[in-house]
Amino acid sequence: MKQTIRIFALALALMLFASCSAAKTYPTDDVYHPETDSAYFASSSSWFHSIVESGNGYYIRVAQTLLFADRETMEVMPLCSLPGCLHNEETDKAKRELCQAYFPTRSASKPMFIQDGALYVCHTKKLNNRVYILTKTSPDGTQRRDVLTFPAEEDILHFCVHRGRLYYITMSFGENGECRTILWEQSLDRPQEKPRELYRPKNYANRSAQSMILYGNRLYLLEPTDEKRFAVRIMDLRTREWTEIAPLEDYNSISKIWISRGKLMLNCCRITDETPAFFNDEFEYAIYRCELDGSNPEKTGLPWGEWCADEEYAYRLDPYTGDFRDSTLHILDGDFQELDEIPLADWPIEGGVLVDAGLITQNGGRQIVKIQEGEPHSMVFWYFDCSEIGSGKLQPKEFFRFIDRDYI
């Protein structure tokens, strides 16, 4: 398996580490291009862009370790070729930091991206260090080049790479404890240039932008309007002009933004002091479908839940009511007609809870789900093949198990 990765690395080495002096062209339309565009379907609340898909497999970032899974065999291994390295099993701190697969971070968000065939990983130099670094990495992990270093006093909230440019939101605190967040734009082709400030998202009680999505020529930001409610701001990447979508009709907050078949989807709800912590019959909601610029909103009648979509399917996890085992993962076509479902109670999970639907693949090939099982730092990954959708034989399969020993 390691030999396969080395051969693949040699084939792409010149492309990955070639000079950035040549001018590059990127798409300018409102269509998704997997080679250059941000994976709009891969965002999640706590496991943001932790899996990326390459030509022959998947890069998976778990805790502080970068793994590679072969697409055909689904065999998983740390992205490290050092002889005798114990990877995440290493207990000696100095030796642990020498592992080629070691990419520490302070936060739950572990972003990485493939852009123009190159793998970029955002991490810190050491565990719990405050300085974030963007590193360009060869396919086998043996070669690294730091591209950007972010200011030490700033946390990275959101992070996307889209059509040759990096968009990220930083958060910092002033001497009086006031929170400041800034949306930045940075060229990957010319990383020596200073980042450009695009916008300062609002903050209420230290709550700031909840999510950021890039699709086509637009950037979508879910921003607070007060301590409980959110609205959507849209920036046209060509003109840098901003528009705002306020909550629609009788609803006063937008809880989620997502894209399906070239349409902007808005999960709207009514938030009051009496709004229940968990979903119940008193929860007021509606899901709207709009044009990508936010115009022509129409109520869809779709049920509430945790929605996302890729170029082929839409996925909905039933609302959380206090026990994830009461939920079902629904799989639908582009017209939101249900094709299949997986009741979570039927999954072979021992005392675990669903943590994330971590990846909707670019090609609709596999869906990977992370499960928290037993101890707080013990995780199990499952997957199912999308080719089985609608066959009546759709079953989750165990992918691999991982223990985060850096925090034990």
Side-chain angles (χ1 to χ4, degrees):
M1 181 59 195
K2 289 186 178 180
Q3 184 65 24
T4 301
I5 297 178
R6 292 192 187 100
I7 294 174
F8 182 63
L10 290 173
L12 291 181
L14 291 177
M15 177 178 67
L16 290 177
F17 289 90
S19 171
C20 294
S21 59
K24 297 180 182 179
T25 58
Y26 295 96
T28 58
D29 55 16
D30 274 327
V31 178
Y32 173 66
H33 299 271
E35 299 83 9
T36 59
D37 290 8
S38 173
Y40 66 93
F41 41 74
S43 63
S44 63
S45 58
S46 62
W47 207 37
F48 185 62
H49 289 283
S50 293
I51 298 181
V52 295
E53 186 176 20
S54 70
N56 65 339
Y58 308 96
Y59 292 97
I60 307 170
R61 195 170 173 193
V62 189
Q64 320 306 317
T65 304
L66 180 57
L67 308 173
F68 180 82
D70 181 86
R71 181 186 297 276
E72 297 299 324
T73 65
M74 296 299 279
E75 178 186 356
V76 180
M77 60 177 293
L79 196 71
C80 175
S81 59
L82 292 178
C85 183
L86 299 179
H87 317 301
N88 62 297
E89 300 289 334
E90 180 61 70
T91 57
D92 184 284
K93 183 178 179 181
K95 292 182 179 179
R96 176 74 175 108
E97 294 177 355
L98 295 176
C99 176
Q100 294 170 343
Y102 183 63
F103 286 91
T105 182
R106 296 192 308 117
S107 66
S109 181
K110 301 173 177 62
M112 60 181 179
F113 298 87
I114 290 180
Q115 182 83 178
D116 294 325
L119 178 65
Y120 292 86
V121 183
C122 185
H123 64 102
T124 56
K125 273 293 186 184
K126 296 179 180 292
L127 192 62
N128 294 322
N129 187 283
R130 291 194 61 86
V131 180
Y132 282 91
I133 299 168
L134 181 64
T135 298
K136 188 176 183 179
T137 306
S138 64
D140 65 348
T142 59
Q143 301 180 67
R144 296 188 185 187
R145 179 163 63 86
D146 293 343
V147 178
L148 289 171
T149 299
F150 301 94
E153 68 275 9
E154 296 178 346
D155 251 333
I156 306 294
L157 291 185
H158 301 287
F159 182 105
C160 290
V161 173
H162 186 72
R163 299 183 178 181
R165 306 192 74 80
L166 168 64
Y167 300 88
Y168 61 99
I169 297 178
T170 60
M171 179 176 69
S172 59
F173 292 90
E175 294 181 358
N176 298 323
E178 69 277 10
C179 180
R180 182 185 70 172
T181 53
I182 302 176
L183 169 63
W184 302 92
E185 179 187 45
Q186 176 88 45
S187 171
L188 280 181
D189 297 337
R190 298 179 299 277
Q192 70 278 6
E193 295 182 359
K194 290 184 178 180
R196 177 179 180 177
E197 181 178 329
L198 296 177
Y199 180 66
R200 296 199 174 199
K202 298 182 181 70
N203 292 281
Y204 291 93
N206 291 337
R207 298 185 71 186
S208 186
Q210 292 295 291
S211 63
M212 180 174 69
I213 295 175
L214 286 107
Y215 185 88
N217 291 310
R218 292 177 178 85
L219 181 150
Y220 301 90
L221 193 65
L222 191 61
E223 179 186 56
T225 57
D226 60 27
E227 294 183 4
K228 295 184 177 180
R229 300 165 184 87
F230 290 84
V232 176
R233 290 187 65 86
I234 305 174
M235 187 186 76
D236 188 308
L237 298 178
R238 297 161 295 190
T239 65
R240 301 298 191 273
E241 294 179 351
W242 287 90
T243 57
E244 182 173 330
I245 302 178
L248 303 169
E249 297 187 53
D250 295 330
Y251 306 98
N252 61 7
S253 184
I254 299 174
S255 65
K256 184 178 177 68
I257 49 178
W258 49 293
I259 306 289
S260 177
R261 294 290 179 95
K263 299 288 186 179
L264 174 64
M265 310 296 293
L266 305 174
N267 290 17
C268 300
C269 58
R270 170 163 288 280
I271 302 294
T272 68
D273 292 338
E274 290 74 36
T275 298
F278 302 137
F279 180 84
N280 62 24
D281 293 338
E282 298 178 0
F283 190 73
E284 300 178 57
Y285 71 89
I287 297 178
Y288 287 81
R289 176 169 43 207
C290 315
E291 300 301 326
L292 290 174
D293 62 1
S295 63
N296 302 323
E298 60 173 338
K299 189 180 293 188
T300 63
L302 292 172
W304 194 252
E306 184 64 28
W307 282 91
C308 58
D310 60 13
E311 296 291 279
E312 189 170 358
Y313 300 105
Y315 302 82
R316 180 178 68 88
L317 186 65
D318 286 336
Y320 181 62
T321 58
D323 187 346
F324 277 111
R325 290 181 177 273
D326 294 336
S327 299
T328 295
L329 179 63
H330 304 267
I331 306 169
L332 308 92
D333 63 17
D335 297 320
F336 302 113
Q337 300 299 310
E338 186 156 327
L339 301 173
D340 221 320
E341 64 178 28
I342 305 177
L344 298 192
D346 295 345
W347 286 37
I349 305 169
E350 297 179 1
V353 296
L354 181 69
V355 173
D356 249 326
L359 171 75
I360 305 295
T361 66
Q362 295 174 357
N363 303 317
R366 290 190 177 98
Q367 163 71 316
I368 300 173
V369 178
K370 183 177 74 170
I371 304 294
Q372 187 87 29
E373 256 192 17
E375 297 180 2
H377 305 299
S378 176
M379 291 160 278
V380 183
F381 289 73
W382 302 80
Y383 74 92
F384 61 82
D385 286 308
C386 292
S387 61
E388 298 176 351
I389 293 174
S391 67
K393 300 178 181 179
L394 183 63
Q395 292 291 332
K397 306 173 182 66
E398 184 173 321
F399 190 8
F400 67 96
R401 293 174 176 264
F402 188 91
I403 297 177
D404 182 7
R405 300 192 182 279
D406 292 307
Y407 280 104
I408 293 179

